[in-house]
Amino acid sequence: PGSAEAHLRLGIVLLSEWNYDEARKELLQALSIDPNLAEARYFLGLIQLRSYELDAARESFLRARQLRPDRPEVVTSLGVTARKQGKPDEARRCFEEALSLDPGHADAHWHLADVLLLQGEYTSGWEEFEWRWKHQGFLTPSRDFAEPVWNGEAIAGQTILLHPEQG
């Protein structure tokens, strides 16, 4: 009962089962044992974000970033929170910071695409949007057609195949 790590791991399992109330209890117990447990702050922030407790989520992610500034998923989650709070410039800075920590972080690329498109930066936004194929949360399976993907070049006199991707 005195192991912060055990409470953390149980909280993560409960979170993965969408049992936010019990997960929150375990994460708070972990933090009562070890207030500097960055992972517990991060996962508590995820619960708060998913529960639209945006100010609390922001505080949790800020504290987690303070404890572990090398974690791109923490900075990305801070950016998602800022985006939901209607702060696209702050969100963009967070996603760019996350990418400076890990240039291959698909989640940060995908969320950066959203902000860029919202800000009217379509060329770079659509380029970033290609990272959706590497994002774990993107449920549409990639289709491997033999023909090349259309990248906007002129198609006069040619045929183009349109297929559904996102519903």
Side-chain angles (χ1 to χ4, degrees), residues 27 41 48 59 68-70 85 91 107 113 115 117 128-129 137 142-143 145 157 162 164:
L27 295 170
R41 296 264 177 215
Q48 293 162 330
E59 290 305 312
R68 291 290 309 270
D70 60 328
Q85 290 178 312
D107 197 29
V115 170
L117 292 170
E128 290 293 327
F129 192 66
S142 177
R143 298 193 181 162
F145 296 111
L162 300 178

Side-chain angles (χ1 to χ4, degrees), residues 79-135:
V80 171
T81 304
R83 168 71 179 86
K84 288 182 183 264
Q85 290 178 312
K87 302 174 184 174
D89 293 332
E90 181 181 328
R92 181 177 178 165
R93 284 190 298 275
C94 288
F95 302 139
E96 290 170 345
E97 179 184 339
L99 291 171
S100 74
L101 296 170
D102 178 4
H105 196 265
D107 197 29
H109 280 285
W110 196 31
H111 288 293
L112 177 59
D114 180 51
V115 170
L116 291 171
L117 292 170
L118 285 171
Q119 293 178 329
E121 296 185 36
Y122 299 117
T123 301
S124 54
W126 288 121
E127 287 173 8
E128 290 293 327
F129 192 66
E130 288 301 307
W131 280 85
R132 71 192 180 283
W133 299 112
K134 295 180 181 179
H135 184 273

